[in-house]
Amino acid sequence: MATISEAFAVAVVHHRAGRLQAAEQIYLQILSIEPNHAPAWHLLGVVHYQRGNHQAAADHIVRAIGLDASAADFRCNLGNVYQRLDKPDEATACYRRALELKPDYAEAHCNLGNVFKHQGKRDEAIACYRRALELKPDFAEAHTNLGTVLQELHRYDEAVDCFRRALELKPDFVEADYNCGNALQEQGKPGEAADCYRRALALQPDFVDALHNLGIALQELARRDEAVACYRRALELRPDFAEALYNLGNVLREQARRDEAVACYRRALELKPDFLVALSALVHELQYICHWEGLKRLSQRVIELIDENVQSAIGAPVPPFSLLSLPTMTTAAQQLRCARQWVERKLKMPAELAPHPPLRRRSRPKSKLTIGYLSADFRSHAIAVTVAELFEKHDRGRFAIFGYSYGPDDGSPMRQRLVKAFDRFVDVRDASFAEAARRIAADEVDILVDLTGYTLNGRTQILAIRPAPIQVNYLGYTGTMGAAFMDYIIVDDFIVPPEQQPFFTEKLVHLPGSYQVNDSQREISPHTPSRAECGLPQQGFVFCCFNNNYKITPEVFTVWMRLLQAVPGSVLWLLEDNPFAATNLRREAQARGVAAERLVFATHLALADHLARHRLADLFLDTLPYNAHTTASEALWAGCPLLTIAGQTFASRVAGSLLRTLGLPELITTRLEDYEEMALRLARDTRQLAELRARLQTNRTTSALFDAGPFAATLEKAYQTMWEICAAGEKPRAFRVSPNVN
């Protein structure tokens, strides 16, 4: 017959092998013979802990401690139980007592660090993990736990080093691979992150969070079909995974499967009604497909949650761009609030990553200022179409002009033109945020101009690291970025009056004329298509709006339908952004008493051909609250009169800024009633419309709006003033640029 010690040894073997039932039976047999066997009570408690019976575990381990108060491991494991019972103070006391009994107890140091981590005491947690690693350098779990805290502090390089060290010590450490993937993803390295997630999944195929995050990484790599497969597999394993539904909706939207995207967002909100970013995505997608039923109520709810500063249970804020076009119009104050929430929750960066803190001066004088332009859109894109000539017109005697591109290279003529336009063109698409920032800093960029902001594919994290001493928000995003790391925003008096400075974290730099630069080299095809080729009737007034469909709101569309009813034989010519929108808009027209065939949809064409077909339109009707921007300058460049309605926010005043600069202020209205009245008057008064068209044709060739050379000189004056303020050691301040004198 085995002795007590022999039986205990057998039980421990079973226990270590994971045979908990066999171990438990032997521990109970030992205790029936020797009720005061402290190690058996202790390990019986550990069995209960491993099964999730935490209160029973605590009772058994407390019994063991009562029999042997000197055992440090008893105290340490009781601390683990108290952590699961959400009793951090009791857990801390246990670990501290264990360390009094055994000061070199690495596991107790590590577990005490875990308590501090969960309490948000990151410095204390780091100290504990580092002490554990001093005592036990091959402690893989301590390396991983330290990495997770460093990751929370956005110290991603250090975190990745910790996770990789843990994996060297323990190659099958699933959590280390998963956490390493998360840190790499935060650094802007989706390819490396995907490799980590795949390794974790090879070891644990049903690791739902790894599947989901692999989907995010693949989506960023534009491997959308694979991303969809990951999200769907994650949802098979966890059907109530709201965030996976949201991200699945995002990738389906990118694949133009917009009806499926809407269904995903709706299901995510059914599961988590406070999932604010999914609510915002649903609203924006409904706008894209012009599905307006319930849209006003949903958009009002988005604004309410932003005003209340409600943070979703999932923690994702509303993307600021989506707020600019909400059908329930937002104020500049609400847009600022949304942007600040985004920065606070999405764009925190460690100060030690910043190569250039604000107001830092160069260590040596330079003969030229270096201006860097940062963008996702150096390709065939609306922003490039607008800004390309600016880069070519900059004064190379006074400025070095660098371009930093993190968007795709589409191989287009526009891409080739842009590459040639810069003194140095750097593709940082495959660089992490920190690597891109370090490259910009190494190039000694004095003023970094962001042309993307919070629009699609923006990598604002690069700017958050502060790679340049002066950083400017210009052109791409028509609103405040709400960020202390952005110093200035380029505006004009019309789009942002000076009294709106309180609603911008950037200092306002007012240019004379319009803030928007335009490319005078935009080719217009000499061939004008026939009406039949464009699907237009041979006769009748042609109202047009080539804005993206998401900018069309029910209120403005209702005005358009009244205009069609009031002007017999007229049609409304719209851009066919997606087939869902076309179907829904035709239905909405019929609901307002207008035949569906009076809506004509234009397909996408090459820019020169698109500009040429504007000759067939009589009047471009603008949208509110998000005006035509590049589409407005295109229509005006092509000679098509444009009627706008100016609101109270930047995005709602851009077309007005262009018209004012062109000398056509009578085409700017501020109320829907005046907008409708003016449109009807022009449709009926062919003489007045012809006079406006003639003035437009003359002014477009003489106005500063389409002359990038003088505009570049004016913008350079702004850059020079920014640098003088910085070089004097002063904080950024608002200023006005005086007109150039010939």
Side-chain angles (χ1 to χ4, degrees), residues 18-36:
R19 296 187 289 272
L20 299 185
Q21 185 173 356
E24 180 183 25
Q25 289 176 347
I26 298 174
Y27 294 144
L28 290 171
Q29 289 172 0
I30 291 170
L31 291 169
S32 68
I33 299 168
E34 189 177 326
N36 293 329

Side-chain angles (χ1 to χ4, degrees), residues 381-396:
H381 184 275
I383 290 297
V385 165
T386 302
V387 79
E389 193 174 12
L390 170 66
F391 308 139
E392 297 164 339
K393 294 292 187 179
H394 272 307
D395 182 353
R396 287 331 201 257

Side-chain angles (χ1 to χ4, degrees), residues 476-494:
Y477 181 70
T478 49
T480 182
M481 291 178 69
F485 54 78
M486 298 303 295
D487 302 303
Y488 296 100
I489 183 170
I490 304 295
V491 297
D492 62 54
D493 283 335
F494 187 86

Side-chain angles (χ1 to χ4, degrees), residues 574-706:
L574 302 171
L575 185 70
E576 186 171 8
D577 197 24
N578 63 84
F580 304 102
T583 298
N584 289 330
L585 287 171
R586 288 188 177 105
R587 186 188 66 247
E588 292 290 344
Q590 290 175 321
R592 289 164 174 78
V594 175
E597 58 268 22
R598 294 184 70 184
L599 270 60
V600 180
F601 288 90
T603 58
H604 287 272
L605 295 177
L607 180 59
D609 295 324
H610 171 61
L611 292 174
R613 67 181 168 189
H614 281 77
R615 299 183 184 118
L616 302 178
D618 294 298
L619 181 64
F620 190 115
L621 297 174
D622 200 9
T623 49
L624 184 77
Y626 203 131
N627 281 176
H629 293 181
T630 300
T631 46
S633 66
E634 288 174 348
L636 296 169
W637 177 243
C640 179
L642 179 146
L643 178 65
T644 191
I645 176 167
Q648 299 300 311
T649 60
F650 191 152
S652 68
R653 299 178 67 82
V654 171
S657 170
L658 305 182
L659 289 165
R660 187 188 67 158
T661 305
L662 271 173
L664 296 168
E666 60 265 57
L667 290 173
I668 305 170
T669 65
T670 57
R671 300 188 311 151
L672 273 174
E673 297 87 346
D674 297 335
Y675 171 82
E676 182 175 355
E677 180 184 342
M678 183 66 172
L680 185 57
R681 186 187 316 137
L682 292 174
R684 289 173 171 172
D685 189 343
T686 56
R687 184 175 175 179
Q688 183 182 9
L689 183 60
E691 189 272 333
L692 283 168
R693 185 181 289 273
R695 278 170 54 202
L696 171 58
Q697 289 288 2
T698 299
N699 293 358
R700 64 184 283 274
T701 61
T702 60
S703 167
L705 184 65
F706 294 111

